[in-house]
Amino acid sequence: MKKLLSLLFVAVLTMSAHAQFLGWIEVGDYYNPTEIYNGSYFDMAPTNFYLAHTGVQMIYTPDLLTNMAGKDGVKIKYLNFKFSSESFEAIVRNAKIYLQEIDATEFAINENGVKQFFTFGDLVAEGRYEIDLYDFYGEDHSLVMEIEEPFNFTLGKSLLVTIVFDAEDDDNCTMGSDYAPFYTSGIRGKAMTYTDNWTSFVDYAMSDQFPDATAMQGCGTNVELPVTEIGYTYERMLGDANGDANISIADVTALINFLLSGDPTGFYEVNADINEDGKTSIADVTSLISMLLN
């Protein structure tokens, strides 16, 4: 009977210790961006509003997503981009977002040396954006894209993002680069773009020219990632310091070993902040022991 009661205790403790959180990753300095893209509109990611129809594919590699480590049940929830506005125009765009996880960290190149788009992933969100740029003249503007059904993501994979923007009116375009994205200098070649005044990226993906990305088709093939904020939900088990999905004396040992050695191997600091004060300390050891006893 004692054994059964102890098993029930662990099960209840494990279930009650689960909590869901919202985490954020910045690719580039999202809140203090400095580099505005002012080159060819072919290379503007995630979009330019100079043409009526644009598309982009972006590869966010595992090294850019490292702060997801040690977290369970990761789901992509937001993709936010930062723009600089010097336009008085009102822009309307219909947007579609496709996501998939991939093993690749680069775009493939065929036997003729032509870069290749990936096939589109799962359609996870679509919506209509009405942006009156007069309201943001001379200011930075965040384009917030929320994923309706958060996308399950496996840690260690690359995140492939495909976004399609289509004007309802082919003449509804800005003048030049008056509404331009901020970009991340140094992360080149992780994005490819498509631009056209009459044909959507979705239609292009259904054509015989796809997946070839060429300048003749209005594609930018060596594009830097835009400044991005990725929002994701995740679960953590408070107290599961060694990541074995149980809370036991072994977690106390793991926590003490980490505090003494600083060695993060096999240690899940996100779960070890028992008192949720934003740091890992001896106070968390006390809280964990109290959790086990009480």
Side-chain angles (χ1 to χ4, degrees):
M1 187 66 177
K2 283 186 175 180
K3 185 176 181 181
L4 177 60
L5 286 174
S6 65
L7 287 174
L8 286 173
F9 169 75
V10 171
V12 171
L13 180 59
T14 298
M15 290 170 64
S16 63
H18 272 292
Q20 190 171 74
F21 297 85
L22 181 63
W24 297 95
I25 292 174
E26 288 183 63
V27 179
D29 191 346
Y30 188 83
Y31 290 96
N32 295 286
T34 57
E35 300 182 74
I36 303 169
Y37 189 81
N38 59 7
S40 169
Y41 58 78
F42 282 93
D43 291 339
M44 283 191 185
T47 186
N48 71 75
F49 292 93
Y50 180 65
L51 293 173
H53 304 283
T54 66
V56 65
Q57 287 193 338
M58 299 172 287
I59 303 174
Y60 294 91
T61 52
D63 60 298
L64 299 175
L65 307 174
T66 53
N67 83 344
M68 292 179 178
K71 298 170 184 175
D72 296 321
V74 171
K75 297 182 179 182
I76 307 301
K77 177 66 175 175
Y78 294 99
L79 292 167
N80 303 334
F81 303 96
K82 187 65 72 73
F83 287 79
S84 175
S85 176
E86 292 186 357
S87 173
F88 294 109
E89 297 160 273
I91 295 296
V92 177
R93 290 292 185 272
N94 292 315
K96 294 183 178 180
I97 306 173
Y98 303 80
L99 296 181
Q100 65 189 108
E101 53 184 38
I102 59 175
D103 294 317
T105 58
E106 305 283 349
F107 290 96
I109 300 175
N110 69 10
E111 64 277 6
N112 298 317
V114 178
K115 278 196 172 183
Q116 307 287 285
F117 285 112
F118 289 88
T119 55
F120 290 14
D122 297 330
L123 177 63
V124 296
E126 55 185 327
R128 187 173 186 269
Y129 287 85
E130 297 183 32
I131 307 171
D132 189 344
L133 300 181
Y134 179 82
D135 295 337
F136 305 102
Y137 183 83
E139 300 177 2
D140 297 347
H141 174 230
S142 290
L143 185 64
V144 176
M145 310 191 78
E146 181 175 2
I147 310 304
E148 296 163 2
E149 292 291 335
F151 177 77
N152 290 311
F153 183 68
T154 305
L155 303 183
K157 298 281 190 177
S158 294
L159 176 66
L160 178 70
V161 178
T162 303
I163 305 179
V164 178
F165 287 94
D166 290 314
E168 296 173 343
D169 177 354
D170 289 350
D171 294 325
N172 183 224
C173 304
T174 60
M175 296 297 293
S177 302
D178 292 339
Y179 186 68
F182 288 92
Y183 70 97
T184 58
S185 179
I187 313 181
R188 181 168 290 281
K190 301 301 182 183
M192 292 208 303
T193 59
Y194 167 86
T195 58
D196 194 280
N197 241 354
W198 301 276
T199 304
S200 170
F201 190 34
V202 173
D203 294 331
Y204 174 65
M206 302 295 291
S207 71
D208 294 338
Q209 286 77 32
F210 193 82
D212 292 351
T214 66
M216 291 295 293
Q217 297 292 337
C219 301
T221 59
N222 192 28
V223 180
E224 297 191 83
L225 285 175
V227 169
T228 314
E229 184 181 51
I230 301 173
Y232 62 95
T233 62
Y234 65 95
E235 293 180 352
R236 62 173 173 166
M237 187 187 296
L238 292 178
D240 182 21
N242 65 359
D244 66 355
N246 290 303
I247 302 173
S248 67
I249 194 64
D251 296 300
V252 177
T253 303
L255 179 49
I256 292 173
N257 286 341
F258 172 75
L259 292 173
L260 292 175
S261 68
D263 182 2
T265 304
F267 180 72
Y268 291 81
E269 191 166 3
V270 68
N271 294 337
D273 182 15
I274 315 300
N275 61 5
E276 298 185 282
D277 64 355
K279 57 187 177 183
T280 306
S281 67
I282 193 66
D284 295 303
V285 177
T286 304
S287 296
L288 180 52
I289 292 172
S290 178
M291 180 187 291
L292 288 169
L293 292 176
N294 296 321

